[in-house]
């Protein structure tokens, strides 16, 4: 196993509940093993533009209950180009990164696979997407919260619909995946 002294950490794509908890876990585990963590802002954009800051346990001690992600997130069309990928790997080399941790969904993981073709460091993908649409993963970070939020909203809407003898139509997120709609539909009857 290679010696890892410094890791880069990003959250990429759409945010998902639990991303801050994942950030916290990575930082605390790395600190335990005396590994330095650089958090890059705005997903892959932060790697392209070398926007980073060191993350220490005190930076993540009170983030677990917050929504969104303290590292911010974004989609990054430049990751679909060879130039964008080269900029990312240049930043990884420049900062002497040994491992890259990406918390995100399918687009984020596709970017990670492309980086692996140009960079020989270690990579870890933590599945963070409310869509629950990643292969070989039972539940992604954020999926359970998305379901519970949908159920709570429908329970409240149902009361109003009953009070006025109306039918309400509810649309749920989930991109091309119907996992949230399917699970919320069953749970809320």
């Amino acid at each position: 196993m290679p010696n890892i002294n410094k890791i880069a950490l990003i959250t990429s794509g759409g945010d998902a509940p639990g991303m801050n908890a994942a950030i916290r876990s990575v930082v605390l585990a790395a600190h335990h093993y005396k590994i330095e963590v650089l958090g890059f802002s705005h997903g892959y954009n932060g790697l392209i533009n070398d926007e980073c800051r060191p993350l220490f346990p005190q930076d993540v001690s009170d983030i677990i209950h917050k929504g969104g992600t303290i590292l911010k997130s974004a989609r990054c069309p430049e990751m679909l180009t060879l130039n964008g990928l080269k900029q990312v790997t240049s930043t990884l080399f420049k900062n002497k990164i040994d491992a890259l941790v990406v918390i995100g969904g399918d687009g984020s993981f596709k970017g990670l696979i492309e980086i692996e073709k140009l960079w020989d460091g270690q990579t870890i993908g933590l599945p963070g997407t409310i869509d629950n649409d990643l292969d070989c993963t039972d539940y992604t970070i954020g999926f359970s919260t998305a379901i519970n939020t949908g159920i709570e909203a429908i329970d409240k809407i149902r009361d109003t619909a009953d009070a006025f003898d109306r039918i309400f139509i509810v649309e749920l997120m989930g991109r091309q995946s119907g996992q949230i709609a399917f699970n919320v539909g069953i749970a809320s009857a």
Side-chain angles (χ1 to χ4, degrees), residues 171-189:
E171 180 181 2
L172 298 164
M173 294 179 71
R175 212 160 162 225
Q176 285 101 7
S177 171
Q179 291 286 327
I180 296 173
F182 177 75
N183 283 272
V184 170
I186 289 174
S188 62

Side-chain angles (χ1 to χ4, degrees), residues 17-32:
M19 280 186 161
N20 280 331
I23 291 168
R24 181 178 179 272
S25 295
V26 170
V27 171
L28 295 180
H31 177 73
H32 174 79

Side-chain angles (χ1 to χ4, degrees), residues 45-124:
N45 295 300
L47 281 168
I48 288 172
N49 299 317
D50 197 11
E51 294 176 54
C52 66
R53 64 181 170 121
L55 292 174
F56 302 100
Q58 60 268 25
D59 298 321
V60 298
S61 65
D62 193 29
I63 66 168
I64 206 163
H65 64 283
K66 295 179 180 177
T69 159
I70 63 163
L71 292 176
K72 308 296 181 192
S73 192
R75 304 211 188 276
C76 183
E78 290 175 88
M79 281 299 290
L80 301 173
T81 69
L82 183 57
N83 187 47
L85 290 165
K86 286 181 178 179
Q87 287 178 282
V88 166
T89 56
S90 173
T91 298
L92 294 171
F93 284 119
K94 176 183 161 195
N95 287 287
K96 298 182 173 116
I97 301 296
D98 301 307
L100 171 61
V101 178
V102 175
I103 305 168
D106 61 337
S108 303
F109 286 4
K110 286 176 185 169
L112 193 58
I113 289 167
E114 293 303 313
I115 289 168
E116 289 175 339
K117 295 175 184 175
L118 301 173
W119 181 67
D120 62 356
Q122 299 295 304
T123 59
I124 297 173

